[in-house]
Amino acid sequence: MLGNIRIVMVATSHPGNIGAAARAMKNMGLHDLALVTPKLFPHEEADARAAGADDILKAARVFNTLDDAIQDRHRVIGASARLRTIRWPQLTPRECAASIAEGGSALKSAIVFGREHAGLTNEELERCHYLLNIPCNPDFSSLNVAAALQVVSYELFQTSLGAPLQTLESDIEPATGEEMESFHGHLIQTLFDIGFLHERKTSPALTRRLRRIFNRAALEKTDINILRGILTAVQIRTRMGKPPTP
Amino acid sequence: MLGNIRIVMVATSHPGNIGAAARAMKNMGLHDLALVTPKLFPHEEADARAAGADDILKAARVFNTLDDAIQDRHRVIGASARLRTIRWPQLTPRECAASIAEGGSALKSAIVFGREHAGLTNEELERCHYLLNIPCNPDFSSLNVAAALQVVSYELFQTSLGAPLQTLESDIEPATGEEMESFHGHLIQTLFDIGFLHERKTSPALTRRLRRIFNRAALEKTDINILRGILTAVQIRTRMGKPPTP
């Protein structure tokens, strides 16, 4: 279970936090660290705080975009302290660990942690299938990013100790993040084609909600193929219906 | 429950760890911090890492001995990474939280964290009624002291919330079974309209799979409205595209 979990840190400012994160990960049996546009990395402060987890730092990969870092992931979970106006499926750390364990041994997941002061942007959160929220003092709810990562890693490890090894549905092929993105692109394009969306009248709330519906559905590759088949059929019918271009 | 728990840090070397501990405590609703012979305190690095939990640092009391720090405590729990030759009753963080909760509101407890590199001495451990051990990777089992404190505080806070965590999203209006059925009917009709399904070529496996996708998405009333709006838009475009009936 732990081998298929990637920790993604987005735009981390303090290299010390990256080192502390590596240490927390290694303590809890995690090893796959992805860094999206870290401010300073590699850095001696990261090495110092890693305190023996330098193998995690050495193996860490740096990406230019969050999309690149989660491209091959089936499930993406974004850590968020703020309550968002948009309701997104939320998990506690324990529920997050249970959900990953239930996904079985083939499920590749990513848990995404945002900037020290600003967390993840709404656009980044939209890439996530779930939000992860650590219940805490509502008057002082901003955990240090490495501390949050320590709590989540701890829950993952505790769950892994008791996780059943085999999965119930082993022949399921979940869609990757890349396939989900292509599907969303196709969906939005089709909504323009049929006039449901207009250039001057796009609603981020609406497209976000559509994203959420399909993220929550835990789509398989086959589901994606069927849904895109339907979208293509709609596009063909729509083009047939258009008056011929002059 | 949280008001009667004292966190004791023994002979901490790095003031940054004291600051991070204060932040972790405040995040999790704890406020009583005792420092036994800290190397550097107060210190600007502690203030920096506290990141807003300076009230905890200001109220922290400094003691010359562990005995002084735990003098008024009914139950003393010592954090220890090492397996001791001496067998002492051991608790996981979750068991520790449960044990304190069961002790009731009058129980004054202390949780004691040792030095960065050497933990607690045997003499200090003998002052403790229980040892607290965080299950983790046996090949890399030394957590940073503030990280360990974060994990333990997190478990205390979760336990203080009371047994079952209720769901975070209470104002969601899920779709009824009837609404789901109407939606499925509308979807299937639209698939006929666009020619994706034909009278002579319907696939029960396909319609079942579509059902499953949307059932899994746990649709709300609002989701249903949006999806049916899209289906209606498709139907209108499709009718426009049809040659006029003779």
Side-chain angles (χ1 to χ4, degrees), chain B residues 14-165:
Chain B
H14 299 295
N17 283 331
I18 298 177
R23 180 175 182 179
M25 286 174 62
K26 190 168 178 181
N27 282 142
M28 296 301 162
L30 299 168
H31 57 78
D32 184 354
L33 175 61
L35 303 170
V36 179
T37 61
K39 196 169 170 192
L40 296 164
F41 185 81
H43 193 277
E44 58 185 11
E45 246 186 83
D47 297 339
R49 294 278 296 280
D54 10 1
D55 51 334
I56 308 278
L57 289 181
K58 253 179 220 135
R61 282 166 300 166
V62 176
F63 296 92
N64 286 323
T65 69
L66 174 58
D67 280 342
D68 292 341
I70 59 177
Q71 194 194 300
D72 65 337
R73 300 287 107 179
H74 305 120
R75 189 171 301 173
V76 181
I77 300 161
S80 173
R82 285 175 288 162
L83 287 174
R84 304 280 165 171
T85 44
I86 176 169
R87 289 198 304 266
W88 218 254
Q90 294 217 5
L91 302 172
T92 65
R94 207 163 295 169
E95 289 165 347
C96 166
S99 145
I100 290 175
E102 282 158 17
S105 57
L107 181 88
K108 291 180 180 174
S109 59
I111 307 179
V112 186
F113 294 84
R115 295 155 192 80
E116 277 91 344
H117 292 293
L120 295 167
T121 64
N122 281 335
E123 205 192 358
E124 287 159 353
L125 284 168
E126 280 167 27
R127 295 286 181 281
C128 301
H129 308 146
Y130 297 91
L131 294 194
L132 170 62
N133 183 268
I134 301 180
C136 64
N137 177 1
D139 298 327
F140 190 71
S141 62
S142 162
L143 272 75
N144 165 270
V145 61
L149 207 150
Q150 176 72 70
V151 165
V152 174
S153 306
Y154 158 79
E155 284 286 9
L156 292 167
F157 187 81
Q158 307 316 303
T159 300
S160 80
L161 291 177
L165 287 174

Side-chain angles (χ1 to χ4, degrees), chain A residues 23 26-27 49 87 94 135-137 140 142 144 154-155 158 209 212 216-217 220 223 226 241, chain B residues 23 26-27 49 94 135-137 140 142 144 154-155 158 172 209 212 216-217 220 223 226 241:
Chain A
R23 180 174 180 179
K26 191 168 177 181
N27 281 143
R49 293 279 294 280
R87 294 193 305 262
R94 205 162 298 167
C136 64
N137 177 1
F140 191 71
S142 161
N144 165 269
Y154 158 79
E155 284 285 9
Q158 307 316 305
R209 191 173 264 274
R212 198 173 61 153
R216 219 159 36 189
E220 300 166 29
D223 297 328
I226 291 170
Chain B
R23 180 175 182 179
K26 190 168 178 181
N27 282 142
R49 294 278 296 280
R94 207 163 295 169
C136 64
N137 177 1
F140 190 71
S142 162
N144 165 270
Y154 158 79
E155 284 286 9
Q158 307 316 303
I172 276 182
R209 192 173 263 274
R212 201 172 56 149
R216 222 159 31 190
E220 300 167 29
D223 297 329
I226 291 170

Side-chain angles (χ1 to χ4, degrees), chain A residues 93-108:
Chain A
R94 205 162 298 167
E95 289 166 344
C96 166
S99 144
I100 289 175
E102 280 159 18
S105 56
L107 182 87
K108 292 181 178 173

Side-chain angles (χ1 to χ4, degrees), chain A:
Chain A
M1 164 183 168
L2 298 174
N4 268 337
I5 300 173
R6 178 174 301 158
I7 299 293
V8 182
M9 299 180 80
V10 177
T12 313
S13 300
H14 299 297
N17 283 331
I18 298 176
R23 180 174 180 179
M25 286 174 62
K26 191 168 177 181
N27 281 143
M28 296 302 163
L30 298 168
H31 57 77
D32 184 355
L33 175 60
L35 304 169
V36 179
T37 61
K39 197 169 169 194
L40 298 164
F41 185 82
H43 192 276
E44 58 186 8
E45 246 186 84
D47 297 340
R49 293 279 294 280
D54 11 0
D55 51 334
I56 309 277
L57 290 182
K58 251 178 222 136
R61 282 167 299 165
V62 176
F63 295 93
N64 286 323
T65 69
L66 174 58
D67 279 340
D68 291 340
I70 60 176
Q71 193 193 303
D72 65 338
R73 300 287 109 178
H74 305 121
R75 189 169 304 170
V76 181
I77 299 162
S80 173
R82 284 177 286 163
L83 287 174
R84 304 281 166 170
T85 43
I86 175 165
R87 294 193 305 262
W88 213 258
Q90 294 217 6
L91 302 173
T92 65
R94 205 162 298 167
E95 289 166 344
C96 166
S99 144
I100 289 175
E102 280 159 18
S105 56
L107 182 87
K108 292 181 178 173
S109 59
I111 306 180
V112 186
F113 294 85
R115 293 153 193 81
E116 277 91 343
H117 293 292
L120 294 168
T121 64
N122 281 335
E123 205 191 0
E124 286 158 354
L125 285 168
E126 280 169 28
R127 294 289 181 278
C128 301
H129 307 150
Y130 296 92
L131 293 195
L132 169 62
N133 184 268
I134 300 180
C136 64
N137 177 1
D139 297 328
F140 191 71
S141 63
S142 161
L143 272 76
N144 165 269
V145 61
L149 207 148
Q150 177 71 70
V151 165
V152 174
S153 306
Y154 158 79
E155 284 285 9
L156 291 168
F157 186 81
Q158 307 316 305
T159 299
S160 80
L161 291 176
L165 290 175
Q166 84 276 32
T167 161
L168 294 170
E169 302 179 80
S170 57
D171 55 342
I172 277 181
E173 268 208 283
T176 63
E178 201 179 6
E179 287 161 341
M180 287 300 290
E181 278 313 299
S182 302
F183 166 69
H184 279 297
H186 195 168
L187 174 63
I188 298 303
Q189 182 54 52
T190 307
L191 294 182
F192 277 110
D193 290 356
I194 63 171
F196 189 83
L197 293 176
H198 311 274
E199 291 297 346
R200 284 163 305 176
K201 198 197 94 187
T202 57
S203 155
L206 178 78
T207 53
R208 218 179 294 133
R209 191 173 264 274
L210 286 170
R211 241 179 213 289
R212 198 173 61 153
I213 290 173
F214 291 101
N215 282 347
R216 219 159 36 189
L219 298 179
E220 300 166 29
K221 284 185 201 302
T222 315
D223 297 328
I224 295 269
N225 291 339
I226 291 170
L227 291 171
R228 294 195 66 165
I230 294 173
L231 293 176
T232 302
V234 168
Q235 286 178 312
I236 289 169
R237 290 300 306 218
T238 307
R239 270 176 220 136
M240 284 164 60
K242 273 185 185 161
T245 38

